[in-house]
Amino acid sequence: MTRYSARGALALRGLKAIYYGTIINCVVMAFVLVAAVRIFEIFLPWHEWLPAGIYAGLSTAITSTGLMLASNVTGLDPILATTNNDLSILSMLSFVALYSTTGGLRSVIATDVAQLALMLAGTALYAWIAVDAAGGLATIPDRPVDLYGEDTARRFLSFTPTAEDALMPFLVVFALQWFFQINSDGTGYLAQRTMACRDLRQARLASVVFTMTQIVFRSLLWLLIGVALLIVYPFDATVALGESGISERELTFALGIDELLPAGARGLMLTAMLAALASTLDTHLNWGASYWSNDLYKGIWVEHIRGREAGSRELVLVARLSNLVIITIALMIMVNLGSIQTAWQISLLFGAGTGAVLVLRWLWERINLWCEVAAIVTSLIVAPILILTVESDWLRLAVMSGVSVLVVVLTAWLAPGTSHDKLVLFYRKVRPPGLWRRTALAAGEDPATGAREFRRDLLGLAACAVSVYSWLIGCGWLLLDADRVVHGIVAIVIGIAAALVWLKSLRDVPTHSST
């Protein structure tokens, strides 16, 4: 590692490989698989496809493990549902592991492009049909009022909560979620996309395209589907949803595919969902395998302990075997998760303890390797305590974030810092923005340059965020609120104006810069 001193960096390398590449990675994969079960249980009836004798043998072997993977909301016998779900998961994981382990990063990027296009096409068709089943776009804003009452309908269709409803939780999550997570600095599996680009300008452009596609276009499609399904499949909003109720509502998305879409569209949407699942799983498998092969095996075991160079063939073998380990751990976590929402909240909470240090290490020269160790240890200790003692999710996030920042800052001032020579080498190689005055002077550079670039990038980031949310909310108003047409147009214009700022920031990036 070029950021920290050599001896401590090796230990940190191993710790991060276990924490990020295994613990966090497997938790995220687990709730992706929970979502997959909602689809598998409805659309993949293996008991109808396989010969009775073969299916009975597989069912006996699977149920003998005692791990039940039934959602309990489809009406299928739990043993039948478990067998079907296990066969579906094993088939999907085998397919994904095959091409991700044989093709590596290149195959992951290539397949993700096709899978994303298929997913967006299927989702757009689903949105069209779901809106039509709910009575059409013109009547959708009024239907929730008839079904749930004016106050509840306003909550469902509002982009921001009211002060008496959930303003503080919203502000905490909105303000902190982008910063306090495991990919807050763009590393992790998100970096796979930017590393596939030719230069820094392409990498930044790819990040913008990814953000606009994910947050604006896809979210608008999901917004239409979500509101339409609230109308087609109403529920009693006055009754608090427990874990089973949340699981049942999570199944509504799949039920809509099964009951609303005609045969051809249903097949397209199912294929799109499987493509999205494969895209997510191959990304996480490739990310986790890189930690196991390059950090744990090559960096620590082979080069440090054994004192030799690792061959390419053995690294490939270790990566493939590590995929099996990661999949197994993810499945073990999955069977203990009641809902997608619960898993997402847990992963967000653990990530909240490390997000601050991941950003600050690029912006502040005093951050040392002990800051990262302290952040990880803090997450492992504080997160379980908060899960057991604090009911409110937003309060957990706020406490975890505050404790993490305090620990990181104190560690930065009290723990031994990174060696001066190491910081100079890192600065010359990376040219990080922010608070690097002492290191910049030692490297013979103008410290004002980094501060100037930081202000430019921060302005571009803020402008891009304004465009994203202005377009998302503006288009949402135009689609779902006839009284806010003018507001929607103004929001879209504001987004266009902000785009002029971040587009200029993109043009100012030199094309020869390496990612």
Side-chain angles (χ1 to χ4, degrees):
M1 296 175 65
T2 58
R3 176 63 172 84
Y4 305 121
S5 302
R7 178 178 298 180
L10 185 65
L12 178 62
R13 189 175 179 181
L15 179 62
K16 292 178 70 172
I18 295 173
Y19 184 74
Y20 294 119
T22 306
I23 298 176
I24 297 295
N25 192 30
C26 289
V27 169
V28 174
M29 287 183 63
F31 78 71
V32 170
L33 291 172
V34 170
V37 166
R38 306 287 192 264
I39 303 296
F40 293 155
E41 195 162 315
I42 295 177
F43 295 105
L44 301 181
W46 292 93
H47 61 288
E48 298 179 4
W49 299 341
L50 295 178
I54 295 177
Y55 185 85
L58 292 172
S59 179
T60 301
I62 290 172
T63 54
S64 65
T65 63
L67 300 177
M68 304 301 291
L69 296 182
S71 67
N72 298 320
V73 293
T74 59
L76 285 177
D77 178 78
I79 294 178
L80 198 68
T82 296
T83 303
N84 288 347
N85 290 334
D86 280 355
L87 291 175
S88 300
I89 289 174
L90 290 175
S91 299
M92 172 59 71
L93 289 176
S94 298
F95 171 69
V96 172
L98 177 64
Y99 72 77
S100 64
T101 56
T102 55
L105 178 60
R106 182 181 296 274
S107 72
V108 170
I109 298 298
T111 54
D112 274 8
V113 173
Q115 289 162 347
L116 174 63
L118 184 61
M119 180 60 191
L120 291 176
T123 306
L125 180 60
Y126 186 12
W128 180 284
I129 296 175
V131 167
D132 183 67
L137 196 58
T139 62
I140 276 186
D142 299 324
R143 294 293 303 281
V145 177
D146 299 333
L147 293 170
Y148 300 101
E150 186 173 350
D151 292 339
T152 301
R154 189 183 72 252
R155 283 200 347 259
F156 284 167
L157 298 179
S158 176
F159 284 94
T160 57
T162 59
E164 66 273 10
D165 185 13
L167 182 60
M168 182 56 68
F170 171 80
L171 291 177
V172 169
V173 174
F174 182 80
L176 298 181
Q177 182 181 344
W178 72 272
F179 185 61
F180 295 98
Q181 57 169 312
I182 59 172
N183 299 305
S184 55
D185 63 341
T187 52
Y189 56 83
L190 294 179
Q192 292 186 49
R193 274 68 180 164
T194 53
M195 288 189 296
C197 299
R198 285 197 298 265
D199 52 54
L200 181 57
R201 179 181 295 179
Q202 279 201 358
R204 291 195 175 190
L205 181 59
S207 299
V208 172
V209 172
F210 173 83
T211 302
M212 294 298 175
T213 304
Q214 294 281 83
I215 306 302
V216 180
F217 184 62
R218 188 182 66 171
S219 295
L220 287 172
L221 294 177
W222 282 358
L223 174 64
L224 292 174
I225 294 172
V227 174
L229 293 180
L230 284 173
I231 296 170
V232 178
Y233 300 104
F235 68 104
D236 188 354
T238 62
V239 178
L241 290 177
E243 193 78 2
S244 60
I246 293 173
S247 298
E248 185 174 351
R249 291 307 300 174
E250 289 173 349
L251 193 66
T252 305
F253 188 86
L255 285 175
I257 298 174
D258 186 41
E259 297 180 359
L260 301 181
L261 303 188
R266 190 185 313 135
L268 175 62
M269 189 59 199
L270 177 58
T271 304
M273 294 295 293
L274 294 177
L277 172 62
S279 174
T280 304
L281 291 178
D282 66 27
T283 299
H284 283 273
L285 286 174
N286 195 64
W287 181 44
S290 66
Y291 270 120
W292 277 66
S293 59
N294 291 317
D295 295 286
L296 293 177
Y297 183 76
K298 177 186 175 183
I300 296 178
W301 174 250
V302 176
E303 295 180 350
H304 183 69
I305 297 178
R306 300 292 300 275
R308 65 177 179 84
E309 293 291 328
S312 58
R313 287 189 176 183
E314 61 181 308
L315 289 177
V316 171
L317 177 61
V318 170
R320 292 174 177 174
L321 293 176
S322 66
N323 275 336
L324 299 178
V325 177
I326 292 170
I327 289 171
T328 301
I329 296 174
L331 289 173
M332 293 173 63
I333 297 173
M334 172 199 166
V335 298
N336 294 291
L337 293 176
S339 68
I340 304 169
Q341 176 177 296
T342 299
W344 178 79
Q345 291 167 347
I346 292 174
S347 66
L348 183 62
L349 184 62
F350 275 94
T354 58
V357 72
L358 294 180
V359 173
L360 290 175
R361 64 182 179 176
W362 300 101
L363 305 179
W364 189 21
E365 60 189 352
R366 290 198 65 92
I367 294 295
N368 53 68
L369 68 91
W370 299 110
C371 294
E372 295 211 33
V373 173
I376 293 175
V377 172
T378 299
S379 294
L380 292 174
I381 294 175
V382 177
I385 294 175
L386 291 175
I387 291 173
L388 294 175
T389 60
V390 178
E391 291 291 331
S392 175
D393 296 316
W394 71 268
L395 186 57
R396 290 175 183 173
L397 180 62
V399 173
M400 184 76 256
S401 302
V403 171
S404 173
V405 171
L406 179 62
V407 169
V408 168
V409 172
L410 289 176
T411 305
W413 285 105
L414 300 177
T418 305
S419 68
H420 181 71
D421 293 340
K422 177 68 70 173
L423 286 177
V424 171
L425 289 173
F426 174 78
Y427 185 87
R428 287 173 175 168
K429 183 176 183 179
V430 178
R431 306 288 179 177
L435 303 175
W436 289 83
R437 178 178 177 80
R438 182 182 301 177
T439 304
L441 290 173
E445 303 285 344
D446 181 6
T449 302
R452 186 166 53 250
E453 292 178 351
F454 178 62
R455 288 193 297 269
R456 181 201 66 193
D457 292 343
L458 194 60
L459 178 62
L461 174 66
C464 191
V466 170
S467 292
V468 167
Y469 289 107
S470 295
W471 290 338
L472 175 62
I473 295 174
C475 291
W477 278 335
L478 291 178
L479 291 171
L480 298 176
D481 195 339
D483 296 330
R484 295 206 174 206
V485 173
V486 176
H487 295 76
I489 294 174
V490 171
I492 292 173
V493 171
I494 291 174
I496 294 174
L500 299 177
V501 177
W502 56 260
L503 283 172
K504 182 180 183 301
S505 178
L506 284 178
R507 289 195 299 268
D508 291 341
V509 176
T511 57
H512 63 272
S513 298
S514 172
T515 57

